[in-house]
Amino acid sequence: MLLKSTMGTVLGLFPPKWLLGKSFRENCKFIHNAQWWPAERAREYQLNKLREMLKIAYERTKFYRRMFDSVGFRLGDINTLDNMNRLPTIDKQVVIDNLSDMCTKSVRDSDVDFGSTGGTSGTPLHFYMSASRSRVEYAYLTMSWERVDYKLGMPMAVLRGRVVNPDRNGFRHEYDPILRHHYYSSFHMSDGNMAHYLEHIATIGPCFLHVYPSSIAALARLILRDGIHTPTNIRGIIAESEIVYPDQQQMVEEVFGCRYFSCYGQSEKVVLAAGCEKSDDYHVWPTYGYFELLDDKGDQVTTPGQRGEIMGTGFINTIMPFIRYRTGDWATYVGERCEACGREHTVIRDIRGHRTQEVLIAADSSEIPWTALNMHDDTFIHVRQFQFMQETPGHALLRIVPADGFGDEDASRIHRNLRRKIDDKLSFGIELVDVIPLSARGKAIYVDQRIPRKQRQKNRKT
Ligand SMILES: [Zn+2]
């Protein structure tokens, strides 16, 4: 611990860009320049990337070979981007059913990571990805955040589902001196703790907040409710991973007096989009993946104002290609250029989808965002479907539809991994069931929350 902390102090003197390595710096440079390419150059880049991805998918995976052959598609058929529509689309269920046939190499290799996220209707989605993708992804995020004057190395206050252990005074804060990130626990958002977080944030110098939309909304509501002094050193708020509601964004901007900047992405890494210096509309990064917006009939949306489902073919995960992958998220088409900044990117707005702001209610009536509980590891590996049902603050029932191979070991792993995050805030039991009823699109999927909203607010005051 001492060595780590001493090393941290020394490394903290160097700019993070150098500590994150040469490939990170090269990625940043490429992305920084590529965002200003004229549309034609970006299209040429995409065409080459698509040819590469389709080639490895066809030559190295059983799944895509079967699929391309079934529709008579040949690798040489890709002469323009429009040719992509000759390929079928895939969705989460297709990935769940064909996981073992979709990888381009042995998943035991050291450059392969296992990933997981929430699928549709509470079904966990498992997949594999390149171990190098975090560095590429982080370069894209950093270059997006720079549009609102974030500079790598500026202090960042992070409230995003990390397990943060208490210090000797019981304060849940951890500091990473290399990235200069201050982590606070988003599982312990009681009024007292949140007030403490705000006091601490006020002392870290000019900084950005990196949050879930639901956690920053909780902080803003506390400030309004209790008349707490808003820290004046916050230069901007970066919100990701959940739906952004416009009225919530407006409230947060008013309370904190700074820009609320959103980025959109998925664990599957097919499409990444972010606002710009002047506009909150999402600019789709053309070098991250190939983006398509499809209407109900499966046709490309090209009329401004029309809505469609976000679909992508990712470029950064070569271990398990996601080709024409439907994300389940919907957006409104704006155009092929942002008039405010001049970038020739596809522009979309009003993203809505499966990532609603579902919450569990802790014993002290504080809210635990579902997004923070979402497990990105093997916790739910033998689970077909799951959902929390809650009727009392502080207690929930986790309903599980087991998959083949589910045993006592799985139940204890689920208990252990969830407890690491929620410890004394919430107790839960596990119930094995045959089915969990399907929810409508956009409705709660992971939390069947039965505590009335009115009662939750009443509890907070008492
Ligand atoms: Zn713009």
PDB file of all heavy atoms in Angstrom, residues 119-122 243 245 328 352-358 370 387 437-449:
ATOM      1  N   GLY A 119     -29.027  -7.157 -21.221  1.00  0.00           N
ATOM      2  CA  GLY A 119     -29.584  -7.351 -22.559  1.00  0.00           C
ATOM      3  C   GLY A 119     -31.030  -6.884 -22.567  1.00  0.00           C
ATOM      4  O   GLY A 119     -31.398  -6.004 -21.797  1.00  0.00           O
ATOM      5  N   THR A 120     -31.838  -7.482 -23.431  1.00  0.00           N
ATOM      6  CA  THR A 120     -33.250  -7.105 -23.437  1.00  0.00           C
ATOM      7  C   THR A 120     -33.990  -7.902 -22.375  1.00  0.00           C
ATOM      8  O   THR A 120     -33.588  -9.014 -22.034  1.00  0.00           O
ATOM      9  CB  THR A 120     -33.890  -7.429 -24.803  1.00  0.00           C
ATOM     10  OG1 THR A 120     -33.450  -8.737 -25.187  1.00  0.00           O
ATOM     11  CG2 THR A 120     -33.463  -6.438 -25.848  1.00  0.00           C
ATOM     12  N   SER A 121     -35.065  -7.349 -21.858  1.00  0.00           N
ATOM     13  CA  SER A 121     -35.955  -8.032 -20.914  1.00  0.00           C
ATOM     14  C   SER A 121     -35.217  -8.705 -19.771  1.00  0.00           C
ATOM     15  O   SER A 121     -35.586  -9.786 -19.351  1.00  0.00           O
ATOM     16  CB  SER A 121     -36.786  -9.120 -21.619  1.00  0.00           C
ATOM     17  OG  SER A 121     -37.014  -8.788 -22.936  1.00  0.00           O
ATOM     18  N   GLY A 122     -34.137  -8.102 -19.280  1.00  0.00           N
ATOM     19  CA  GLY A 122     -33.448  -8.656 -18.127  1.00  0.00           C
ATOM     20  C   GLY A 122     -32.573  -9.854 -18.435  1.00  0.00           C
ATOM     21  O   GLY A 122     -32.078 -10.517 -17.538  1.00  0.00           O
ATOM     22  N   ILE A 243     -30.299   7.331 -20.088  1.00  0.00           N
ATOM     23  CA  ILE A 243     -31.081   8.338 -20.811  1.00  0.00           C
ATOM     24  C   ILE A 243     -30.918   9.697 -20.135  1.00  0.00           C
ATOM     25  O   ILE A 243     -30.877   9.788 -18.914  1.00  0.00           O
ATOM     26  CB  ILE A 243     -32.575   7.942 -20.762  1.00  0.00           C
ATOM     27  CG1 ILE A 243     -32.860   6.862 -21.785  1.00  0.00           C
ATOM     28  CG2 ILE A 243     -33.468   9.134 -21.006  1.00  0.00           C
ATOM     29  CD1 ILE A 243     -34.296   6.411 -21.758  1.00  0.00           C
ATOM     30  N   TYR A 245     -32.849  13.087 -19.580  1.00  0.00           N
ATOM     31  CA  TYR A 245     -34.144  13.744 -19.728  1.00  0.00           C
ATOM     32  C   TYR A 245     -33.918  15.254 -19.797  1.00  0.00           C
ATOM     33  O   TYR A 245     -33.231  15.822 -18.932  1.00  0.00           O
ATOM     34  CB  TYR A 245     -35.062  13.408 -18.550  1.00  0.00           C
ATOM     35  CG  TYR A 245     -35.375  11.930 -18.453  1.00  0.00           C
ATOM     36  CD1 TYR A 245     -34.844  11.145 -17.427  1.00  0.00           C
ATOM     37  CD2 TYR A 245     -36.182  11.315 -19.402  1.00  0.00           C
ATOM     38  CE1 TYR A 245     -35.119   9.783 -17.353  1.00  0.00           C
ATOM     39  CE2 TYR A 245     -36.461   9.955 -19.328  1.00  0.00           C
ATOM     40  CZ  TYR A 245     -35.928   9.200 -18.304  1.00  0.00           C
ATOM     41  OH  TYR A 245     -36.203   7.859 -18.241  1.00  0.00           O
ATOM     42  N   GLY A 328     -31.080  -1.313 -29.914  1.00  0.00           N
ATOM     43  CA  GLY A 328     -32.295  -1.195 -29.096  1.00  0.00           C
ATOM     44  C   GLY A 328     -32.529   0.242 -28.636  1.00  0.00           C
ATOM     45  O   GLY A 328     -33.499   0.529 -27.941  1.00  0.00           O
ATOM     46  N   ARG A 352     -33.348   7.614 -26.922  1.00  0.00           N
ATOM     47  CA  ARG A 352     -34.175   6.914 -25.936  1.00  0.00           C
ATOM     48  C   ARG A 352     -33.927   5.420 -26.112  1.00  0.00           C
ATOM     49  O   ARG A 352     -33.700   4.968 -27.220  1.00  0.00           O
ATOM     50  CB  ARG A 352     -35.667   7.177 -26.165  1.00  0.00           C
ATOM     51  CG  ARG A 352     -36.104   8.584 -25.875  1.00  0.00           C
ATOM     52  CD  ARG A 352     -36.231   8.813 -24.371  1.00  0.00           C
ATOM     53  NE  ARG A 352     -36.614  10.185 -24.085  1.00  0.00           N
ATOM     54  CZ  ARG A 352     -35.746  11.181 -23.934  1.00  0.00           C
ATOM     55  NH1 ARG A 352     -34.455  10.961 -24.080  1.00  0.00           N
ATOM     56  NH2 ARG A 352     -36.163  12.392 -23.650  1.00  0.00           N
ATOM     57  N   GLY A 353     -34.014   4.661 -25.028  1.00  0.00           N
ATOM     58  CA  GLY A 353     -33.787   3.234 -25.224  1.00  0.00           C
ATOM     59  C   GLY A 353     -34.019   2.445 -23.983  1.00  0.00           C
ATOM     60  O   GLY A 353     -34.826   2.821 -23.140  1.00  0.00           O
ATOM     61  N   HIS A 354     -33.265   1.369 -23.882  1.00  0.00           N
ATOM     62  CA  HIS A 354     -33.510   0.455 -22.775  1.00  0.00           C
ATOM     63  C   HIS A 354     -32.863   0.934 -21.484  1.00  0.00           C
ATOM     64  O   HIS A 354     -33.158   0.436 -20.434  1.00  0.00           O
ATOM     65  CB  HIS A 354     -33.006  -0.939 -23.129  1.00  0.00           C
ATOM     66  CG  HIS A 354     -31.596  -0.943 -23.629  1.00  0.00           C
ATOM     67  ND1 HIS A 354     -31.249  -0.482 -24.877  1.00  0.00           N
ATOM     68  CD2 HIS A 354     -30.454  -1.318 -23.036  1.00  0.00           C
ATOM     69  CE1 HIS A 354     -29.943  -0.606 -25.026  1.00  0.00           C
ATOM     70  NE2 HIS A 354     -29.444  -1.112 -23.936  1.00  0.00           N
ATOM     71  N   ARG A 355     -31.954   1.921 -21.584  1.00  0.00           N
ATOM     72  CA  ARG A 355     -31.265   2.309 -20.365  1.00  0.00           C
ATOM     73  C   ARG A 355     -31.990   3.423 -19.629  1.00  0.00           C
ATOM     74  O   ARG A 355     -31.585   4.561 -19.621  1.00  0.00           O
ATOM     75  CB  ARG A 355     -29.827   2.672 -20.673  1.00  0.00           C
ATOM     76  CG  ARG A 355     -29.057   1.386 -20.909  1.00  0.00           C
ATOM     77  CD  ARG A 355     -27.750   1.624 -21.482  1.00  0.00           C
ATOM     78  NE  ARG A 355     -27.849   2.245 -22.786  1.00  0.00           N
ATOM     79  CZ  ARG A 355     -26.814   2.655 -23.456  1.00  0.00           C
ATOM     80  NH1 ARG A 355     -25.624   2.545 -22.930  1.00  0.00           N
ATOM     81  NH2 ARG A 355     -26.939   3.181 -24.641  1.00  0.00           N
ATOM     82  N   THR A 356     -33.121   3.084 -19.058  1.00  0.00           N
ATOM     83  CA  THR A 356     -33.874   4.052 -18.281  1.00  0.00           C
ATOM     84  C   THR A 356     -33.204   4.216 -16.921  1.00  0.00           C
ATOM     85  O   THR A 356     -32.280   3.477 -16.592  1.00  0.00           O
ATOM     86  CB  THR A 356     -35.322   3.565 -18.072  1.00  0.00           C
ATOM     87  OG1 THR A 356     -35.237   2.233 -17.560  1.00  0.00           O
ATOM     88  CG2 THR A 356     -36.085   3.544 -19.374  1.00  0.00           C
ATOM     89  N   GLN A 357     -33.680   5.170 -16.165  1.00  0.00           N
ATOM     90  CA  GLN A 357     -33.062   5.420 -14.858  1.00  0.00           C
ATOM     91  C   GLN A 357     -33.796   4.623 -13.784  1.00  0.00           C
ATOM     92  O   GLN A 357     -34.504   5.167 -12.960  1.00  0.00           O
ATOM     93  CB  GLN A 357     -33.091   6.914 -14.536  1.00  0.00           C
ATOM     94  CG  GLN A 357     -32.296   7.734 -15.533  1.00  0.00           C
ATOM     95  CD  GLN A 357     -32.306   9.213 -15.185  1.00  0.00           C
ATOM     96  OE1 GLN A 357     -32.838   9.635 -14.160  1.00  0.00           O
ATOM     97  NE2 GLN A 357     -31.710  10.017 -16.049  1.00  0.00           N
ATOM     98  N   GLU A 358     -33.604   3.309 -13.815  1.00  0.00           N
ATOM     99  CA  GLU A 358     -34.273   2.476 -12.821  1.00  0.00           C
ATOM    100  C   GLU A 358     -33.496   2.514 -11.508  1.00  0.00           C
ATOM    101  O   GLU A 358     -32.272   2.499 -11.523  1.00  0.00           O
ATOM    102  CB  GLU A 358     -34.373   1.041 -13.328  1.00  0.00           C
ATOM    103  CG  GLU A 358     -35.193   0.937 -14.599  1.00  0.00           C
ATOM    104  CD  GLU A 358     -35.221  -0.479 -15.140  1.00  0.00           C
ATOM    105  OE1 GLU A 358     -35.499  -1.398 -14.371  1.00  0.00           O
ATOM    106  OE2 GLU A 358     -34.956  -0.650 -16.334  1.00  0.00           O
ATOM    107  N   TRP A 370     -29.792   1.552 -10.930  1.00  0.00           N
ATOM    108  CA  TRP A 370     -29.587   0.227 -11.512  1.00  0.00           C
ATOM    109  C   TRP A 370     -28.292   0.197 -12.337  1.00  0.00           C
ATOM    110  O   TRP A 370     -27.529  -0.762 -12.323  1.00  0.00           O
ATOM    111  CB  TRP A 370     -30.773  -0.178 -12.391  1.00  0.00           C
ATOM    112  CG  TRP A 370     -30.321  -1.045 -13.517  1.00  0.00           C
ATOM    113  CD1 TRP A 370     -30.210  -0.709 -14.822  1.00  0.00           C
ATOM    114  CD2 TRP A 370     -29.813  -2.383 -13.397  1.00  0.00           C
ATOM    115  NE1 TRP A 370     -29.672  -1.750 -15.526  1.00  0.00           N
ATOM    116  CE2 TRP A 370     -29.417  -2.791 -14.678  1.00  0.00           C
ATOM    117  CE3 TRP A 370     -29.649  -3.274 -12.320  1.00  0.00           C
ATOM    118  CZ2 TRP A 370     -28.870  -4.042 -14.932  1.00  0.00           C
ATOM    119  CZ3 TRP A 370     -29.095  -4.529 -12.574  1.00  0.00           C
ATOM    120  CH2 TRP A 370     -28.727  -4.904 -13.856  1.00  0.00           C
ATOM    121  N   GLN A 387     -34.490 -10.043 -12.541  1.00  0.00           N
ATOM    122  CA  GLN A 387     -35.145  -8.771 -12.250  1.00  0.00           C
ATOM    123  C   GLN A 387     -35.273  -8.612 -10.732  1.00  0.00           C
ATOM    124  O   GLN A 387     -35.588  -9.569 -10.028  1.00  0.00           O
ATOM    125  CB  GLN A 387     -36.550  -8.764 -12.877  1.00  0.00           C
ATOM    126  CG  GLN A 387     -37.254  -7.434 -12.789  1.00  0.00           C
ATOM    127  CD  GLN A 387     -38.652  -7.501 -13.383  1.00  0.00           C
ATOM    128  OE1 GLN A 387     -39.484  -8.293 -12.942  1.00  0.00           O
ATOM    129  NE2 GLN A 387     -38.912  -6.683 -14.391  1.00  0.00           N
ATOM    130  N   PRO A 437     -42.195 -11.844 -16.440  1.00  0.00           N
ATOM    131  CA  PRO A 437     -43.024 -11.245 -17.499  1.00  0.00           C
ATOM    132  C   PRO A 437     -42.250 -10.163 -18.267  1.00  0.00           C
ATOM    133  O   PRO A 437     -41.457  -9.431 -17.679  1.00  0.00           O
ATOM    134  CB  PRO A 437     -44.189 -10.626 -16.731  1.00  0.00           C
ATOM    135  CG  PRO A 437     -44.111 -11.167 -15.356  1.00  0.00           C
ATOM    136  CD  PRO A 437     -42.729 -11.650 -15.108  1.00  0.00           C
ATOM    137  N   LEU A 438     -42.476 -10.078 -19.583  1.00  0.00           N
ATOM    138  CA  LEU A 438     -41.786  -9.085 -20.406  1.00  0.00           C
ATOM    139  C   LEU A 438     -42.339  -7.685 -20.140  1.00  0.00           C
ATOM    140  O   LEU A 438     -43.516  -7.521 -19.872  1.00  0.00           O
ATOM    141  CB  LEU A 438     -41.998  -9.410 -21.887  1.00  0.00           C
ATOM    142  CG  LEU A 438     -41.332 -10.679 -22.396  1.00  0.00           C
ATOM    143  CD1 LEU A 438     -41.703 -10.901 -23.851  1.00  0.00           C
ATOM    144  CD2 LEU A 438     -39.820 -10.589 -22.245  1.00  0.00           C
ATOM    145  N   SER A 439     -41.469  -6.696 -20.227  1.00  0.00           N
ATOM    146  CA  SER A 439     -41.926  -5.317 -20.071  1.00  0.00           C
ATOM    147  C   SER A 439     -41.964  -4.655 -21.437  1.00  0.00           C
ATOM    148  O   SER A 439     -41.238  -5.039 -22.341  1.00  0.00           O
ATOM    149  CB  SER A 439     -40.960  -4.518 -19.200  1.00  0.00           C
ATOM    150  OG  SER A 439     -40.622  -5.250 -18.069  1.00  0.00           O
ATOM    151  N   ALA A 440     -42.784  -3.626 -21.566  1.00  0.00           N
ATOM    152  CA  ALA A 440     -42.848  -2.876 -22.825  1.00  0.00           C
ATOM    153  C   ALA A 440     -41.563  -2.077 -22.999  1.00  0.00           C
ATOM    154  O   ALA A 440     -40.863  -1.800 -22.040  1.00  0.00           O
ATOM    155  CB  ALA A 440     -44.042  -1.941 -22.802  1.00  0.00           C
ATOM    156  N   ARG A 441     -41.243  -1.702 -24.251  1.00  0.00           N
ATOM    157  CA  ARG A 441     -40.031  -0.928 -24.535  1.00  0.00           C
ATOM    158  C   ARG A 441     -39.987   0.368 -23.716  1.00  0.00           C
ATOM    159  O   ARG A 441     -40.963   1.078 -23.597  1.00  0.00           O
ATOM    160  CB  ARG A 441     -40.009  -0.555 -26.016  1.00  0.00           C
ATOM    161  CG  ARG A 441     -38.755   0.192 -26.422  1.00  0.00           C
ATOM    162  CD  ARG A 441     -38.890   0.718 -27.814  1.00  0.00           C
ATOM    163  NE  ARG A 441     -38.984  -0.345 -28.808  1.00  0.00           N
ATOM    164  CZ  ARG A 441     -37.940  -1.061 -29.225  1.00  0.00           C
ATOM    165  NH1 ARG A 441     -36.753  -0.818 -28.741  1.00  0.00           N
ATOM    166  NH2 ARG A 441     -38.096  -1.995 -30.124  1.00  0.00           N
ATOM    167  N   GLY A 442     -38.838   0.616 -23.124  1.00  0.00           N
ATOM    168  CA  GLY A 442     -38.680   1.870 -22.388  1.00  0.00           C
ATOM    169  C   GLY A 442     -39.187   1.789 -20.957  1.00  0.00           C
ATOM    170  O   GLY A 442     -38.932   2.670 -20.160  1.00  0.00           O
ATOM    171  N   LYS A 443     -39.928   0.734 -20.652  1.00  0.00           N
ATOM    172  CA  LYS A 443     -40.400   0.575 -19.275  1.00  0.00           C
ATOM    173  C   LYS A 443     -39.313  -0.118 -18.456  1.00  0.00           C
ATOM    174  O   LYS A 443     -38.374  -0.679 -18.998  1.00  0.00           O
ATOM    175  CB  LYS A 443     -41.668  -0.273 -19.261  1.00  0.00           C
ATOM    176  CG  LYS A 443     -42.844   0.365 -19.959  1.00  0.00           C
ATOM    177  CD  LYS A 443     -43.625   1.242 -18.985  1.00  0.00           C
ATOM    178  CE  LYS A 443     -44.704   2.065 -19.684  1.00  0.00           C
ATOM    179  NZ  LYS A 443     -45.653   1.248 -20.412  1.00  0.00           N
ATOM    180  N   ALA A 444     -39.519  -0.113 -17.138  1.00  0.00           N
ATOM    181  CA  ALA A 444     -38.540  -0.749 -16.269  1.00  0.00           C
ATOM    182  C   ALA A 444     -38.357  -2.217 -16.636  1.00  0.00           C
ATOM    183  O   ALA A 444     -39.321  -2.937 -16.862  1.00  0.00           O
ATOM    184  CB  ALA A 444     -38.998  -0.633 -14.832  1.00  0.00           C
ATOM    185  N   ILE A 445     -37.120  -2.642 -16.716  1.00  0.00           N
ATOM    186  CA  ILE A 445     -36.817  -4.024 -17.068  1.00  0.00           C
ATOM    187  C   ILE A 445     -36.126  -4.726 -15.896  1.00  0.00           C
ATOM    188  O   ILE A 445     -36.457  -5.837 -15.543  1.00  0.00           O
ATOM    189  CB  ILE A 445     -35.900  -4.072 -18.307  1.00  0.00           C
ATOM    190  CG1 ILE A 445     -36.670  -3.584 -19.526  1.00  0.00           C
ATOM    191  CG2 ILE A 445     -35.383  -5.485 -18.530  1.00  0.00           C
ATOM    192  CD1 ILE A 445     -35.806  -3.355 -20.737  1.00  0.00           C
ATOM    193  N   TYR A 446     -35.192  -4.031 -15.281  1.00  0.00           N
ATOM    194  CA  TYR A 446     -34.364  -4.670 -14.258  1.00  0.00           C
ATOM    195  C   TYR A 446     -34.917  -4.507 -12.852  1.00  0.00           C
ATOM    196  O   TYR A 446     -34.562  -5.244 -11.963  1.00  0.00           O
ATOM    197  CB  TYR A 446     -32.941  -4.109 -14.322  1.00  0.00           C
ATOM    198  CG  TYR A 446     -32.315  -4.423 -15.644  1.00  0.00           C
ATOM    199  CD1 TYR A 446     -32.215  -3.479 -16.641  1.00  0.00           C
ATOM    200  CD2 TYR A 446     -31.900  -5.726 -15.909  1.00  0.00           C
ATOM    201  CE1 TYR A 446     -31.698  -3.797 -17.876  1.00  0.00           C
ATOM    202  CE2 TYR A 446     -31.389  -6.058 -17.142  1.00  0.00           C
ATOM    203  CZ  TYR A 446     -31.283  -5.091 -18.119  1.00  0.00           C
ATOM    204  OH  TYR A 446     -30.783  -5.427 -19.342  1.00  0.00           O
ATOM    205  N   VAL A 447     -35.758  -3.473 -12.665  1.00  0.00           N
ATOM    206  CA  VAL A 447     -36.300  -3.255 -11.330  1.00  0.00           C
ATOM    207  C   VAL A 447     -37.815  -3.114 -11.427  1.00  0.00           C
ATOM    208  O   VAL A 447     -38.324  -2.169 -12.022  1.00  0.00           O
ATOM    209  CB  VAL A 447     -35.705  -1.975 -10.685  1.00  0.00           C
ATOM    210  CG1 VAL A 447     -36.211  -1.834  -9.256  1.00  0.00           C
ATOM    211  CG2 VAL A 447     -34.175  -2.013 -10.702  1.00  0.00           C
ATOM    212  N   ASP A 448     -38.505  -4.085 -10.849  1.00  0.00           N
ATOM    213  CA  ASP A 448     -39.953  -3.980 -10.734  1.00  0.00           C
ATOM    214  C   ASP A 448     -40.196  -3.227  -9.423  1.00  0.00           C
ATOM    215  O   ASP A 448     -40.290  -3.821  -8.360  1.00  0.00           O
ATOM    216  CB  ASP A 448     -40.541  -5.408 -10.703  1.00  0.00           C
ATOM    217  CG  ASP A 448     -42.037  -5.417 -10.510  1.00  0.00           C
ATOM    218  OD1 ASP A 448     -42.646  -4.330 -10.466  1.00  0.00           O
ATOM    219  OD2 ASP A 448     -42.603  -6.525 -10.389  1.00  0.00           O
ATOM    220  N   GLN A 449     -40.230  -1.881  -9.540  1.00  0.00           N
ATOM    221  CA  GLN A 449     -40.243  -1.024  -8.343  1.00  0.00           C
ATOM    222  C   GLN A 449     -41.680  -0.775  -7.897  1.00  0.00           C
ATOM    223  O   GLN A 449     -42.449  -0.132  -8.597  1.00  0.00           O
ATOM    224  CB  GLN A 449     -39.530   0.299  -8.684  1.00  0.00           C
ATOM    225  CG  GLN A 449     -39.347   1.251  -7.523  1.00  0.00           C
ATOM    226  CD  GLN A 449     -38.771   0.592  -6.289  1.00  0.00           C
ATOM    227  OE1 GLN A 449     -39.528   0.204  -5.384  1.00  0.00           O
ATOM    228  NE2 GLN A 449     -37.463   0.441  -6.258  1.00  0.00           N
TER     229      GLN A 449
END
